[in-house]
Amino acid sequence: MAKATREKRDKQFGKWFRQMLIDAEILDYRYPIKGCGVWMPYGYKIRRLVTQLLRQLHDGTGHDEVQFPVMVTETNLRKEAEHIRDFENEVFWITHGGLKALEIKFALRPTSETAMYPMLRLWIRSHSDLPKKLYQIGSVFRCETKTTRPIIRVREVTTFKEAHTCHATFEESEAQILEATQIYKGFFDACGVPYVISRRPEWDKFPGAFYSLSFDVIMPDGRTLQSGTVHNLGQNFSRAFDIQYETLGGDHEYIWQTCYGISERAIGALISVHGDDNGIVLMPDLAPIQIVIIPIPSKENPQTILDTCREVADELRSEGFRISIDRREDLTPGAKFYYWELRGVPVRLEIGPKDVSRRQVIIVRRDTFQKEACKIADLPKGMRRLMNDMSDALRDKARKWMESRVHRVATLDEAAKLLKCRAGIVELPWCGDAKCGHIIEERVNAKLLGTQAGSEERTHGGCAICEKKARGLVRAAVAY
Ligand code: A5A
Ligand code: ZN
């Protein structure tokens, strides 16, 4: 717990992030396989709250949870041409069972279309089987060629939530895309993480998709992180896997599909967006411990202080708060403050001798470090209000910060200048042609995130490259 090793979040974001994962005991990335990390107890508790939230959002909208095998046969992995072409150099293969070479290799799923869809073919017979909305949470494996980073770009993605839906018509699949977008908005709003939604350019959509939407988050260093994606797959996979249903009229038609995914990368975004130089800061709803009580010892009546701590803890626990008393005797109160600040616990209550006699506690909130006294009798109500205020404040602060980093520009020069100093996202008019898109990417030395949804219908003057009529605003950013 050496204070000196703390990294400054904004100046050295990468270092800060790694340090936080270790110091706050979230994830240990020293596992001897590149791209694999170990969720530690505190991190696992955060992960569990995040997956619970995801389950709630999917269950509440008629998705059923399932679990498919991690292994996919080579034959199935190769069925959709674009899919395998783009994933080919990221697949881990299983070639042997014991000492014997397998006749048909197995792949560790890089995502689960090719694991699930052969089974959907067996499960879907008629229109009455549709729509079908499934999701699972588990590991996928990608031998990422880009720089791996703990939580953000890993090779075993352990917290891959993927949903897969099947529909009778294209219109229904489009309605599903809207629902998925709503679910993800709800998810990121609950995390207090602001985002922009972009329709990815043709050359950067999910392999095998008809089109892809992406939720991008701006990180403290000004680079963006793709933190969730929603894909309309059209009939590309249903044709490749021969998934047909019988219509009311007795015809056979291919189904329409969508899929959407979020991973632990979203937890990386959550930690990065709210953290500060004192550690991580957790949204109260996603904090394993929402309130920590620190007894401020006194020589005279140590027992009454502990009794009051226990009384307060019991009361708040019965009100549904996740609460802990730090009774460690070998640490000073100051060291305990530091310890829990680092772990992002939203609220600390201090109880000392004066507080006991006044039947009050001192409340300190993690985001602003504001201090105030509160009567014990008023605590449950006060805590609820404080949690709400803090959630709103974190969400607002993050949103304002992001908004100040999205720049509408007219020229490439402006865009290039901003991106060079990692100013966030630039938006500029684009005709929609791939040729102009690639020129933009090259000139600003950044990636096109895609077009701002809805901006296509409005006119925005001329394309920043060819000056033809712009068909929308395109976003560019230096992306993770
Ligand atoms: N089948 C669809 C849902 C799919 O696989 N989409 S995806 O490839 O875009 O992945 C979904 C999300 O997982 C991405 O938006 C990204 O946030 C996350 N993700 C992808 N690769 C990752 C990696 N190597 N490490 C951590 N998260 C990753
Ligand atoms: Zn153009």
Side-chain angles (χ1 to χ4, degrees):
M1 286 206 300
K3 210 161 198 154
T5 62
R6 279 193 184 177
E7 301 296 342
K8 296 272 176 263
R9 189 193 73 154
D10 294 347
K11 291 215 182 80
Q12 289 193 294
F13 169 67
K15 269 178 126 178
W16 175 90
F17 186 69
R18 276 167 184 269
Q19 192 82 49
M20 283 306 124
L21 295 182
I22 294 277
D23 287 357
E25 295 175 297
I26 295 169
L27 182 122
D28 197 332
Y29 199 56
R30 292 170 298 183
Y31 192 77
I33 297 181
K34 184 179 159 76
C36 297
V38 181
W39 287 100
M40 296 172 75
Y42 190 65
Y44 197 84
K45 290 186 179 87
I46 299 173
R47 177 190 188 269
R48 192 151 71 185
L49 288 164
V50 168
T51 51
Q52 267 168 14
L53 171 62
L54 285 168
R55 286 200 165 90
Q56 221 177 314
L57 288 166
H58 287 79
D59 294 347
T61 44
H63 295 70
D64 289 312
E65 187 167 4
V66 293
Q67 194 64 65
F68 276 72
V70 166
M71 296 188 284
V72 184
T73 66
E74 177 169 21
T75 326
N76 280 331
L77 191 74
R78 292 194 183 284
K79 274 200 172 134
E80 208 287 331
E82 270 182 36
H83 190 68
I84 183 61
R85 200 184 58 221
D86 284 16
F87 270 116
E88 180 115 57
N89 64 351
E90 289 188 10
V91 174
F92 286 105
W93 289 104
I94 296 175
T95 55
H96 285 72
L99 297 176
K100 252 174 69 192
L102 295 173
E103 238 166 76
I104 296 182
K105 289 190 288 186
F106 301 144
L108 293 181
R109 60 184 179 203
T111 163
S112 304
E113 286 73 13
T114 60
M116 290 182 164
Y117 298 176
M119 300 308 290
L120 290 178
R121 178 174 187 269
L122 305 176
W123 296 347
I124 293 169
R125 289 270 151 256
S126 82
H127 57 88
S128 63
D129 298 320
L130 299 173
K132 192 175 274 305
K133 308 197 310 195
L134 305 175
Y135 76 99
Q136 70 177 12
I137 304 179
S139 283
V140 297
F141 301 83
R142 297 182 181 181
C143 187
E144 289 280 354
T145 49
K146 282 194 185 172
T147 314
T148 51
R149 295 171 198 277
I151 291 195
I152 284 174
R153 177 168 279 107
V154 284
R155 287 184 167 177
E156 178 176 354
V157 191
T158 62
T159 317
F160 197 73
K161 189 290 301 166
E162 51 182 319
H164 295 262
T165 72
C166 307
H167 308 273
T169 63
F170 174 69
E171 288 67 33
E172 283 172 40
S173 74
E174 284 289 88
Q176 190 56 40
I177 295 291
L178 278 182
E179 182 181 271
T181 310
Q182 282 310 115
I183 293 173
Y184 281 10
K185 283 182 178 174
F187 172 76
F188 287 108
D189 288 346
C191 296
V193 169
Y195 48 80
V196 293
I197 306 174
S198 305
R199 183 172 171 140
R200 284 276 186 263
E202 274 302 298
W203 60 90
D204 199 25
K205 61 188 188 183
F206 179 69
F210 168 48
Y211 69 82
S212 296
L213 304 178
S214 168
F215 284 67
D216 292 291
V217 174
I218 307 180
M219 299 297 260
D221 61 356
R223 295 169 70 170
T224 55
L225 185 66
Q226 171 185 297
S227 303
T229 30
V230 176
H231 316 287
N232 192 324
L233 302 177
Q235 291 179 315
N236 294 344
F237 285 88
S238 66
R239 287 177 189 276
F241 285 89
D242 189 28
I243 314 172
Q244 300 188 36
Y245 75 99
E246 192 175 317
T247 64
L248 262 176
D251 294 331
H252 287 266
E253 282 181 15
Y254 291 109
I255 60 164
W256 298 85
Q257 291 176 285
T258 81
C259 69
Y260 27 106
I262 276 184
S263 78
E264 58 257 58
R265 190 180 279 183
I267 300 177
L270 168 72
I271 290 170
S272 308
V273 162
H274 301 306
D276 62 22
D277 291 347
N278 298 295
I280 68 168
V281 180
L282 290 170
M283 284 293 267
D285 284 347
L286 299 172
I289 298 172
Q290 296 171 307
I291 303 167
V292 64
I293 303 181
I294 316 260
I296 311 294
S298 114
K299 286 196 193 78
E300 288 136 52
N301 48 359
Q303 198 50 46
T304 42
I305 290 178
L306 274 184
D307 287 346
T308 308
C309 288
R310 227 173 274 130
E311 177 200 334
V312 168
D314 287 347
E315 165 81 11
L316 289 173
R317 197 172 287 122
S318 74
E319 292 283 326
F321 292 104
R322 294 186 286 274
I323 194 151
S324 174
I325 308 176
D326 190 342
R327 298 184 48 176
R328 287 176 292 180
E329 279 169 10
D330 54 332
L331 290 184
T332 61
K336 292 179 184 177
F337 298 168
Y338 175 85
Y339 181 93
W340 295 109
E341 277 165 17
L342 182 57
R343 285 160 180 75
V345 172
V347 177
R348 157 173 110 223
L349 302 183
E350 301 170 14
I351 303 182
K354 256 197 236 140
D355 305 308
V356 170
S357 57
R358 291 184 192 154
R359 297 289 297 156
Q360 68 169 28
V361 302
I362 303 297
I363 303 174
V364 184
R365 70 186 254 194
R366 173 63 182 86
D367 58 337
T368 58
F369 294 106
Q370 254 165 13
K371 238 180 179 184
E372 60 180 308
C374 177
K375 290 285 173 212
I376 288 177
D378 298 334
L379 259 184
K381 233 169 77 196
M383 280 298 109
R384 194 143 291 127
R385 200 177 44 232
L386 188 62
M387 298 285 164
N388 285 337
D389 287 354
M390 190 170 155
S391 305
D392 290 346
L394 285 173
R395 198 179 289 114
D396 280 359
K397 186 172 160 211
R399 189 178 41 79
K400 288 205 183 91
W401 185 91
M402 187 202 74
E403 281 168 3
S404 73
R405 276 157 184 80
V406 178
H407 311 272
R408 184 77 55 88
V409 300
T411 68
L412 272 181
D413 282 350
E414 271 176 278
K417 220 183 275 167
L418 285 163
L419 291 174
K420 195 163 176 207
C421 56
R422 301 280 186 273
I425 294 176
V426 299
E427 297 180 332
L428 57 165
W430 178 42
C431 64
D433 281 355
K435 218 169 94 192
C436 290
H438 291 309
I439 295 175
I440 298 175
E441 286 187 323
E442 208 182 285
R443 296 262 199 88
V444 301
N445 196 18
K447 203 176 105 103
L448 289 195
L449 300 179
T451 46
Q452 180 193 335
S455 72
E456 298 85 355
E457 288 87 52
R458 286 173 262 133
T459 49
H460 299 275
C463 168
I465 303 296
C466 68
E467 292 175 11
K468 276 195 290 212
K469 193 165 165 306
R471 287 225 327 258
L473 288 174
V474 74
R475 297 187 173 118
V478 179
Y480 266 103

